[in-house]
């Protein structure tokens, strides 16, 4: 008993620790909600409305059926003075049978119509002129994010402008996969949409509030599926334009870290990673041109710090078991130079 209680206390403590770590990573003292019941974007609004109606109706059914069941159990329970005879049997009642056939049909029809309308509203939305186009490619285990019209390539952290409901500037996403099925899900912005190999899916978001919204790959895609997190930064328009302008710049070429740059450009790093303005043009891994402008590393699993970068490059499989980045077996001095170089890619 005592042992069991201790195990339970231990489990609770580690859950609390995990939750705290998640909150700390979100970069805020307050708990950052990812609740589907706190929507800040048009598709999520429509989904919550439909879901709330379905929940209200099914809760009503639960209360009625559960209430009748409890009432019958209590009212007609066995009593000490029962004479043991069978109660009067009722065979068939047109009214009751009609009621329990017609009412459920009506409920199902209402739910079908509301659902169809919601699906039509979300999937049939047309793209207004001011929309932002983004291509998101799912990889094991990170998100490639490309803005084809703006000439920006980044990873894991999607930046979009806020969308004024009166003059919407939504972001339309083309979803593709480089390997297996993934699923793009930021609960406060929209429903889930899968990223499937050899198929293009589409979805859109129109966030009406600025801020950071967290999401997660929602389709099991291998060992590190749980560490395939999503961060969506919604900016005021001017701030978004400034972000785009910074991301369009070529990589910083700082002479002070020339040694590290040489390490980077003479190892296999450049086969998988791109740094615009250098010989590195790989596309298998994340674009590193503005690596340090991102707040997180490892698809949201760690804060972007020189120490975290150092540990990751030294032994990727230890930090994120199963990760497809190989350990480069660099000398300690080379590793330090490389991390110093990467640290200048703002
Ligand atoms: Cu990608 Cu789960």
């Amino acid at each position: 008993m005592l042992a069991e209680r201790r195990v339970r206390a231990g489990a609770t403590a580690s859950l609390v620790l995990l939750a705290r770590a998640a909150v700390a990573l979100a970069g805020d003292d307050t708990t950052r909600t990812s609740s589907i019941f706190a929507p800040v974007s048009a598709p999520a609004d429509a989904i919550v409305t439909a879901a709330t109606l379905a929940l209200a109706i099914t809760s009503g059914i639960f209360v009625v059926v559960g209430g009748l069941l409890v009432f019958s159990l209590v009212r007609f329970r066995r009593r000490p003075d029962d004479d043991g005879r069978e109660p009067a049997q009722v065979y068939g009642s047109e009214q009751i049978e009609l009621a329990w056939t017609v009412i459920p049909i009506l409920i199902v029809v209402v739910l079908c119509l509301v659902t169809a309308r919601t699906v039509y509203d979300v999937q049939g939305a047309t793209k207004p002129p001011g929309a932002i186009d983004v291509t998101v490619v799912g990889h094991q285990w990170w998100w490639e994010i490309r803005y084809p019209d703006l000439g920006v390539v980044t990873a894991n952290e999607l930046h979009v402008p806020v969308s004024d409901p009166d003059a919407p500037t939504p972001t339309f996403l083309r979803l593709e996969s480089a390997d297996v099925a993934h699923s793009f899900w930021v609960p406060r912005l929209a429903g889930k949409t899968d990223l499937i190999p050899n198929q293009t899916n589409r979805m859109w978001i129109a966030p009406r509030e600025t801020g950071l919204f967290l999401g997660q790959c929602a389709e099991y895609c291998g060992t590190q599926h749980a560490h395939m997190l999503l961060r969506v930064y919604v900016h005021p328009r001017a701030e978004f334009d400034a972000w785009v302008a910074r991301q369009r710049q070529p990589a910083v070429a700082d002479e002070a870290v020339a040694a590290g740059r040489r390490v980077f450009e003479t190892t296999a790093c450049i086969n998988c990673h791109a740094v615009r303005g250098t010989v590195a043009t790989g596309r298998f891994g994340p674009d590193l041109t503005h690596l340090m402008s991102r707040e997180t590393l490892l698809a949201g699993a760690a804060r972007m710090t020189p120490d975290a970068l150092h540990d990751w490059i030294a032994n990727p499989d230890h930090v994120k078991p199963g990760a497809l980045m190989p350990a480069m077996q660099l000398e300690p001095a080379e590793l330090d130079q490389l991390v110093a170089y990467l640290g200048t890619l703002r």
Side-chain angles (χ1 to χ4, degrees):
M1 190 63 189
L2 192 64
E4 188 187 314
R5 211 176 296 157
R6 235 183 259 140
V7 167
R8 218 180 297 152
T12 313
S14 41
L15 270 183
V16 169
L17 274 180
L18 262 180
R20 271 202 211 124
V23 170
L25 199 58
D28 201 343
D29 295 324
T30 55
T31 306
R32 214 178 264 287
T33 177
S34 288
S35 168
I36 58 162
F37 293 104
V40 294
S41 179
D45 290 332
I47 292 168
V48 163
T49 307
T52 308
L53 179 76
L55 256 176
I57 291 176
T58 49
S59 306
I61 294 172
F62 177 78
V63 168
V64 169
V65 172
L68 282 173
L69 183 65
V70 170
F71 171 79
S72 309
L73 284 172
V74 174
R75 175 79 176 70
F76 302 108
R77 69 188 183 279
R78 189 187 185 118
R79 293 167 208 267
D81 57 345
D82 273 349
D83 56 14
R85 277 189 299 138
E86 215 178 43
Q89 299 294 298
V90 179
Y91 295 101
S93 156
E94 249 170 54
Q95 275 115 331
I96 293 177
E97 280 168 19
L98 218 68
W100 75 39
T101 308
V102 172
I103 295 174
I105 288 177
L106 288 178
I107 292 173
V108 169
V109 167
V110 166
L111 287 176
C112 275
L113 290 179
V114 170
T115 308
R117 209 208 140 111
T118 306
V119 170
Y120 181 82
D121 281 352
V122 173
Q123 295 195 342
T126 49
K127 185 156 58 170
I132 308 288
D133 279 305
V134 177
T135 302
V136 178
V137 186
H139 292 257
Q140 284 175 317
W141 289 276
W142 62 282
W143 306 91
E144 177 182 344
I145 296 170
R146 310 183 82 88
Y147 298 70
D149 305 332
L150 302 175
V152 171
V153 182
T154 183
N156 305 319
E157 300 181 357
L158 174 64
H159 292 254
V160 301
V162 70
S163 178
D164 177 357
D166 295 325
T169 48
T171 300
F172 276 67
L173 306 173
R174 264 175 74 96
L175 304 177
E176 297 168 1
S177 170
D179 36 49
V180 299
H182 304 270
S183 182
F184 187 100
W185 192 33
V186 183
R188 297 187 68 190
L189 300 182
K192 297 170 187 171
T193 308
D194 283 3
L195 297 84
I196 295 169
N198 302 316
Q199 185 184 321
T200 300
N201 283 346
R202 280 161 218 280
M203 67 179 285
W204 58 280
I205 54 174
R208 56 173 183 276
E209 274 179 31
T210 57
L212 167 60
F213 302 99
L214 302 178
Q216 154 88 56
C217 177
E219 175 79 50
Y220 182 73
C221 53
T223 319
Q224 289 296 336
H225 157 69
H227 287 152
M228 190 165 168
L229 308 175
L230 261 166
R231 297 165 78 84
V232 179
Y233 295 80
V234 181
H235 300 281
R237 185 66 206 212
E239 204 177 289
F240 173 73
D241 291 339
W243 178 82
V244 169
R246 280 196 305 278
Q247 294 289 317
R248 288 169 65 108
Q249 302 285 321
V252 173
D254 187 343
E255 271 313 303
V257 292
R261 179 170 166 171
R262 214 157 30 242
V263 173
F264 181 76
E265 290 181 358
T266 53
T267 56
C269 304
I270 56 172
N271 296 338
C272 296
H273 294 285
V275 174
R276 240 169 317 127
T278 73
V279 293
T281 54
R283 277 196 60 179
F284 193 68
D287 187 299
L288 303 179
T289 311
H290 297 288
L291 175 67
M292 300 311 283
S293 72
R294 308 204 271 265
E295 286 190 304
T296 58
L297 181 66
L298 310 173
R303 285 241 145 241
M304 182 70 80
T305 63
D307 283 349
L309 255 182
H310 190 281
D311 291 351
W312 166 239
I313 299 166
N315 198 347
D317 204 53
H318 182 74
V319 176
K320 203 168 176 178
L324 301 181
M325 170 145 142
M328 302 307 300
Q329 315 291 351
L330 297 171
E331 298 297 328
E334 287 178 326
L335 180 58
D336 290 343
Q337 289 166 345
L338 177 60
V339 171
Y341 166 63
L342 294 175
T344 64
L345 299 177
R346 312 217 146 261

